Amino acid sequence: MIKVLILFIVLIAGIIIGPIVAGHQGYVLIQTNNYDIETSVTGLVIYFIILQFIFCLLGWCYRRIRGTSSFTHNWLKGRKYHKAHSQTQKALLKLAEGDFSQVEKLLTGHADYAEQPVVNYLLAAEAAQQRGDEYRTNQYLERAAEVAGNHQLPVDITRVRIQLAEGKIHAARHGVDKLLDQAPRHPEVLRMAEQAYQRSGAYQALIELLPIMQKEKLYSAEEIDKLRKDAYKGLINQYMAEGGSENLKDWWQSQGRKIRHDPVLQSIVAARLIECDDSEAAEKIIITGLKQQYDEHLLLLVPRLQISDSKAMNKILTNLIKQSGGATPLLNSTLGQLALHHGEWQEAEKYFKSALAQRPDAHDFAWLADALDKQHKAEEAAQIRQHGLLFSLKHEN
């Protein structure tokens, strides 16, 4: 604008001063091979000024056109951004409705213009997975990886989550291992690792992960404890399946004191050994556990043992009575079953009656009736069976 003003000033000055110097204009000759151009100095100056004015005018027009094009481009781009935002909001509502086809369509329509394109593609991938379209799922994941650049963690997490949902456990396990190297304390990574390890039978890996999960407060103490016991149960089953009782005993002996003194794990190992007809090894574990503390899981296994000499076990159970300040119903019932197994009918009768006095139980009614039959007390045995039947019918209703 300033240049145009200067040109006008020069032009006006030329118009004013021109006539004054009209008599002293001078002479300018421009000669080429075919043409001779003759003019005065004043004329040449005027031509130059007009030419400059024309150049300025063309420059202004060019900038004007370019500015209009930029404005149009920005307007169109802004419109796409607005549309992408609007479609993303609609997609979230459709996601809440469970309309995965519409979710996918709305999220990918203008995904490249969304505030977070990678989020749009990842949500579209999960929507496609819900529809069972594996091709589209992988396509959106690949596009998300492209737009994510160096921030691949959300893409990798979504990929593993989809693999778990599709039942691709081995692929998910591989993906989880990589994610744990990148983000070992990420809550979602830990949750997916728990699922992948449980479903792939990687119980030892899950056990090693539990302290981190506990430290990150991913679950409550009770839930962590349940996960730990379930993992050990799975591990115990694996060792038994791979090499029977000998393999299981070798593994058990290799464990630390804390594991071998856990009553729940003791009961699981003892139960598996009983299933393998290794009653002797199971009895040692049960006796070790009951010497440490009263535990009902272990007590329930005692009647399943093939005990040749009941004196040692009776002594352990008697000590438990002293420690707990009296016999519990389960202790009385266990002692009664041992006596019944060894033909000590009067002792069995005494213990079963004590157990039933503390709490009625259908099994104890039946065992007491058997002990009475062995003593030829048929009438009393019939009454006990009747009580047991009434008790069972009452609790079934």
Side-chain angles (χ1 to χ4, degrees):
M1 196 68 186
I2 296 174
K3 291 181 180 180
V4 174
L5 181 62
I6 293 172
L7 286 174
F8 271 109
I9 293 172
V10 172
L11 182 60
I12 293 169
I15 294 171
I16 296 172
I17 298 172
I20 299 174
V21 297
H24 308 282
Q25 295 183 41
Y27 177 75
V28 177
L29 173 63
I30 301 173
Q31 190 175 37
T32 65
N33 290 335
N34 300 319
Y35 298 101
D36 293 336
I37 301 173
E38 298 180 4
T39 184
S40 63
V41 173
T42 304
L44 181 62
V45 171
I46 292 172
Y47 292 148
F48 176 75
I49 291 171
I50 292 172
L51 185 62
Q52 290 294 319
F53 176 76
I54 291 170
F55 282 147
C56 288
L57 182 62
L58 290 173
W60 178 83
C61 290
Y62 171 75
R63 287 191 298 274
R64 186 73 176 176
I65 292 169
R66 186 177 177 184
T68 303
S69 176
S70 178
F71 172 78
T72 303
H73 175 73
N74 290 334
W75 179 80
L76 290 172
K77 193 174 181 180
R79 187 171 179 274
K80 289 179 179 178
Y81 279 126
H82 176 74
K83 192 168 185 180
H85 178 76
S86 175
Q87 287 186 333
T88 301
Q89 297 300 313
K90 291 178 181 177
L92 294 177
L93 292 174
K94 292 295 181 182
L95 184 63
E97 296 173 9
D99 190 347
F100 299 111
S101 179
Q102 282 298 310
V103 169
E104 183 183 342
K105 182 179 179 181
L106 290 166
L107 285 171
T108 56
H110 290 80
D112 291 334
Y113 296 96
E115 293 180 16
Q116 295 288 339
V118 66
V119 175
N120 280 50
Y121 284 118
L122 291 178
L123 287 174
E126 297 210 43
Q129 185 274 321
Q130 290 288 341
R131 292 193 305 102
D133 192 337
E134 188 173 348
Y135 174 78
R136 289 287 184 189
T137 300
N138 293 329
Q139 190 178 46
Y140 295 140
L141 285 173
E142 289 173 8
R143 183 64 186 136
E146 290 174 7
V147 299
N150 295 326
H151 305 287
Q152 291 294 315
L153 184 61
V155 181
D156 293 336
I157 287 174
T158 303
R159 182 179 286 108
V160 172
R161 187 188 298 118
I162 288 173
Q163 288 169 344
L164 286 169
E166 291 177 342
K168 298 177 180 178
I169 306 305
H170 294 294
R173 165 77 191 278
H174 177 70
V176 157
D177 289 339
K178 290 174 63 178
L179 283 170
L180 285 171
D181 290 336
Q182 300 172 39
R185 298 184 179 277
H186 193 289
E188 184 62 14
V189 173
L190 291 171
R191 288 190 189 94
M192 293 191 304
E194 175 211 330
Q195 294 181 50
Y197 289 158
Q198 278 190 330
R199 294 166 68 180
S200 65
Y203 299 112
Q204 186 60 49
L206 177 57
I207 290 167
E208 293 170 3
L209 200 64
L210 289 175
I212 300 174
M213 296 170 70
Q214 187 171 17
K215 191 173 182 180
E216 293 300 311
K217 298 180 179 178
L218 199 64
Y219 299 113
S220 66
E222 292 78 12
E223 290 171 322
I224 291 289
D225 189 53
K226 185 179 183 304
L227 278 174
R228 184 178 69 87
K229 287 170 182 174
D230 288 344
Y232 270 110
K233 186 175 182 180
L235 197 60
I236 289 166
N237 290 338
Q238 280 184 349
Y239 276 97
M240 188 184 75
E242 290 170 3
S245 64
E246 292 302 320
N247 193 41
L248 179 56
K249 285 189 291 186
D250 289 342
W251 172 82
W252 181 248
Q253 291 301 320
S254 69
Q255 299 305 298
R257 182 183 178 86
K258 185 178 180 180
I259 299 300
R260 287 187 291 108
H261 285 194
D262 186 310
V264 175
L265 299 182
Q266 288 172 337
S267 65
I268 295 172
V269 173
R272 296 298 175 269
L273 289 171
I274 291 171
E275 290 172 14
C276 294
D277 292 327
D278 196 342
S279 185
E280 183 180 351
E283 184 178 349
K284 289 179 181 178
I285 293 174
I286 292 171
I287 287 175
T288 300
L290 291 177
K291 281 182 178 179
Q292 296 161 0
Q293 61 183 315
Y294 173 90
D295 184 78
E296 292 192 351
H297 296 93
L298 294 171
L299 278 175
L300 288 169
L301 293 174
V302 172
R304 295 173 58 187
L305 295 171
Q306 299 297 322
I307 302 174
S308 57
D309 182 7
S310 62
K311 290 182 180 180
M313 186 60 71
N314 281 338
K315 185 178 179 181
I316 296 293
L317 298 179
T318 304
N319 287 334
L320 283 177
I321 293 173
K322 294 176 182 178
Q323 291 171 12
S324 57
T328 64
L330 183 57
L331 265 172
N332 276 322
S333 177
T334 304
L335 285 164
Q337 290 176 67
L338 285 177
L340 194 65
H341 180 71
H342 289 90
E344 299 170 355
W345 316 125
Q346 290 182 348
E347 288 294 305
E349 179 185 349
K350 180 184 73 173
Y351 286 125
F352 286 130
K353 283 184 175 180
S354 297
L356 288 169
Q358 292 172 306
R359 56 97 180 93
D361 180 83
H363 293 95
D364 286 344
F365 276 121
W367 288 322
L368 174 58
D370 289 342
L372 292 169
D373 275 334
K374 294 294 184 181
Q375 298 176 73
H376 307 291
K377 298 178 181 180
E379 187 177 346
E380 189 177 352
Q383 290 178 349
I384 292 297
R385 285 195 174 92
Q386 186 177 7
H387 288 316
L389 179 61
L390 292 172
F391 174 78
S392 298
L393 291 173
K394 182 179 178 181
H395 280 75
E396 284 178 3
N397 296 330

